[in-house]
Amino acid sequence: PVLQALRLLKKEGLIEDAPGRGVQVAPLDPDWVGQLYDVRGALDVLAARLAANAGASIDVGLIEQGRFISQSGDLKKIIDADMAFHHAVYAASGNKLIAETAGRYWMHLRRVMGAVHRWAHQRSSLWDEHLAIAQAINAGDAERASLLTEQHINRAKNNLVFQLRDQLAKDLTHKVA
């Protein structure tokens, strides 16, 4: 069972061979993370547009709960709250394929979101962005909901890719020194 689990984790890109040491957690590659966010962005923008067009309502209590949880510093709960918001938008879209398709990437997104949420300065703006998206969906403004969602994902993507590249550069500097 352990070998089977390791094969599955390797297939999913979560671990990789570490010559002479067995396996290790696969590093977050900035280019791959950018591509992951491109796919996520397309799905999230579509979900927001469909939810607004359907006259759906997103519970803004999710945002208040997320803000509260963000103050706790509990990374797992923060990620769960962030995911709950996005899953609410997926459900509100009425298109089950969005959640199913996104589900394939959520294990990677959870890992990436862990990196995003480690930078505390992003937490409050993240929930402000979620609130604006929810308000646009609740108002039935599909264009605004789509635009805000696209901006939200692009900000997260750009910041995370920058942080990852910066960390890689620091790691290389430490190895050379």
Side-chain angles (χ1 to χ4, degrees), residues 47-48 50-59 88-89 91-94 134-140:
L50 292 174
N53 282 335
S57 179
I58 303 297
D59 179 7
V89 175
S93 77
Q135 289 171 334
I137 290 170
N138 294 351

Side-chain angles (χ1 to χ4, degrees), residues 12-14 32 36 104-112:
E12 293 295 331
L14 295 169
W32 184 85
L36 178 65
R104 180 167 190 263
Y105 304 103
W106 271 103
M107 80 173 90
H108 296 288
L109 286 170
R110 280 189 70 87
R111 184 172 172 222
V112 170

Side-chain angles (χ1 to χ4, degrees), residues 94-171:
N95 185 329
K96 292 179 183 180
L97 290 176
I98 292 173
E100 286 177 25
T101 304
R104 180 167 190 263
Y105 304 103
W106 271 103
M107 80 173 90
H108 296 288
L109 286 170
R110 280 189 70 87
R111 184 172 172 222
V112 170
M113 290 167 85
V116 169
H117 288 292
R118 281 190 184 95
W119 295 294
H121 66 277
Q122 279 202 335
R123 290 185 185 147
S124 65
S125 66
L126 175 106
W127 293 104
D128 293 342
E129 293 168 16
H130 284 178
L131 178 61
I133 292 166
Q135 289 171 334
I137 290 170
N138 294 351
D141 189 342
E143 289 304 313
R144 182 155 174 74
S146 298
L147 177 65
L148 291 170
T149 300
E150 183 176 16
Q151 290 172 344
H152 171 67
I153 298 299
N154 283 337
R155 267 192 285 277
K157 171 189 166 183
N158 293 336
N159 187 40
L160 183 58
V161 168
F162 172 80
Q163 294 286 352
L164 290 172
R165 286 196 172 120
D166 186 53
Q167 188 60 49
L168 284 173
K170 287 177 184 173
D171 291 348

Side-chain angles (χ1 to χ4, degrees), residues 65-101:
Q65 183 179 14
R67 286 185 201 277
F68 178 76
I69 290 170
S70 288
Q71 301 306 313
S72 75
D74 184 330
L75 195 55
K76 182 187 179 316
K77 288 181 181 177
I78 293 167
I79 293 169
D80 288 344
D82 194 351
M83 288 178 62
F85 173 78
H86 289 280
H87 284 292
V89 175
Y90 296 163
S93 77
N95 185 329
K96 292 179 183 180
L97 290 176
I98 292 173
E100 286 177 25
T101 304

